[in-house]
Amino acid sequence: MNLLSCSSINRCPLSSKVLASAGSPSEILKSSFSVSHLGWGQRRDKQLNNRKVSRTLAYYGLQSPPYKLDTLEPYMSKRTLEVHWGAHHRGYVEALNKQLAKNDLLYGYTLDELIIVTYNNGNPLPEFNNAAQVWNHDLFWASMQPGGGGLPTLGLLQQIEKDFASFTNFKEKFVEAALASFGSGWVWLVLKREKKCLSIVKTSNAINPLVWNDIPIICLDLWEHSYYLDCKNDRAKYVNTFMDHLVSWNAAAARLARAQAFVNLGEPKIPVA
């Protein structure tokens, strides 16, 4: 875990509850599984007359991004979404479901819980990487919007200024963290439970801040497949485009507001629409 910025000037309490942006599964995985709602595993066996017993397995569904695939253009192409979401993200969902079909002990967990359980206190079980990558990508899509970028809404902006001294300072640190990350991974804006403030966190591979009981607010995928079609190997262009034109401060403010249902963040209050 790399904590890159957390101002010592001010602190604010936060929640122990992990909050992820929700969405409706848009497609049924075309595999041997019958997929139900996201987050629950179920098994049901039936026997009709003297027919063979048929088994219906339901695990995790593929969530759609909260916008059409072409609406992030020209900053992120429809082709990138088709490959990244339609192939890579789908692949993590399908691989996870295949793993869960072989492990009855993991039935019934929400995706958040599954990540924490399979992280196994730093000794990850085989299911961890796929479970975490499914969750990470769900938040990544929700961290963007058409017409994104710019300044956060007032309450969130005040919180960022409280914990990073200024929005400009926050933005610089976020970009620096992304560019300093080696190889594949993620950069996050999170609420730190213990330090009680917003902070920037870098993680490698599939690891996400849920395993440290942090509350993710936004994330940026730093795996090369997230930008190679649009930016080739120019990570700086990708990261700056995300911050300037894609990041959804509306969604970030909503996640921060929901955190206050569990812990009072103190002033400034984050307005709820």
Side-chain angles (χ1 to χ4, degrees):
M1 175 175 66
N2 296 299
L3 302 182
L4 299 183
S5 176
C6 193
S7 172
S8 60
I9 298 173
N10 293 293
R11 300 296 184 190
C12 51
L14 35 115
S15 163
S16 62
K17 179 71 175 178
V18 176
L19 298 167
S21 178
S24 300
S26 70
E27 294 192 25
I28 302 301
L29 297 179
K30 303 190 184 308
S31 66
S32 58
F33 303 99
S34 174
V35 179
S36 68
H37 61 86
L38 182 71
W40 294 96
Q42 305 169 359
R43 174 173 292 180
R44 182 181 61 200
D45 292 334
K46 283 185 178 180
Q47 187 163 12
L48 301 175
N49 300 324
N50 293 323
R51 294 190 213 174
K52 185 187 297 184
V53 172
S54 64
R55 176 174 294 167
T56 300
L57 300 177
Y59 302 108
Y60 296 96
L62 177 66
Q63 293 194 73
S64 296
Y67 35 76
K68 293 183 179 179
L69 301 189
D70 62 351
T71 54
L72 298 183
E73 292 183 334
Y75 305 110
M76 184 173 289
S77 68
K78 179 181 178 181
R79 179 58 180 158
T80 287
L81 270 289
E82 289 173 340
V83 173
H84 192 177
W85 172 74
H88 291 282
H89 189 177
R90 179 187 298 275
Y92 295 126
V93 174
E94 292 178 342
L96 174 61
N97 287 337
K98 289 177 182 178
Q99 290 174 318
L100 294 178
K102 302 174 183 178
N103 192 338
D104 290 355
L105 296 177
L106 296 178
Y107 289 156
Y109 285 113
T110 66
L111 192 54
D112 295 19
E113 293 167 343
L114 184 65
I115 288 168
I116 294 168
V117 168
T118 58
Y119 184 64
N120 194 32
N121 295 315
N123 299 291
L125 303 179
E127 295 82 3
F128 172 77
N129 283 334
N130 286 315
Q133 284 292 72
V134 171
W135 197 102
N136 295 354
H137 281 83
D138 286 340
L139 182 60
F140 175 56
W141 306 129
S143 294
M144 297 184 288
Q145 68 175 57
L151 288 173
T153 53
L154 182 60
L156 176 57
L157 178 61
Q158 290 175 334
Q159 196 70 52
I160 288 173
E161 290 174 339
K162 181 179 180 181
D163 293 324
F164 293 91
S166 70
F167 177 73
T168 298
N169 189 48
F170 156 74
K171 186 175 177 181
E172 289 175 354
K173 288 182 177 295
F174 192 93
V175 171
E176 287 171 5
L179 298 183
S181 296
F182 180 78
S184 301
W186 300 79
V187 62
W188 313 75
L189 174 65
V190 303
L191 279 169
K192 297 295 297 176
R193 183 181 182 188
E194 298 299 326
K195 295 186 177 181
K196 300 180 180 180
C197 67
L198 292 170
S199 185
I200 296 168
V201 175
K202 297 187 296 182
T203 62
S204 60
N205 298 318
I207 294 175
N208 77 31
L210 299 185
V211 301
W212 302 305
N213 213 14
D214 296 338
I215 303 176
I217 302 300
I218 61 171
C219 72
L220 177 60
D221 189 347
L222 299 178
W223 287 60
E224 193 175 60
H225 62 237
S226 63
Y227 58 89
Y228 69 92
L229 288 176
D230 292 333
C231 302
K232 305 304 180 186
N233 64 341
D234 191 347
R235 181 182 281 185
K237 177 182 177 182
Y238 164 68
V239 173
N240 282 289
T241 297
F242 173 83
M243 294 301 292
D244 293 339
H245 302 290
L246 293 172
V247 62
S248 177
W249 293 124
N250 293 332
R255 280 188 285 275
L256 193 58
R258 287 195 294 271
Q260 289 194 104
F262 303 94
V263 175
N264 183 2
L265 292 174
E267 296 295 337
K269 297 293 184 182
I270 309 301
V272 181

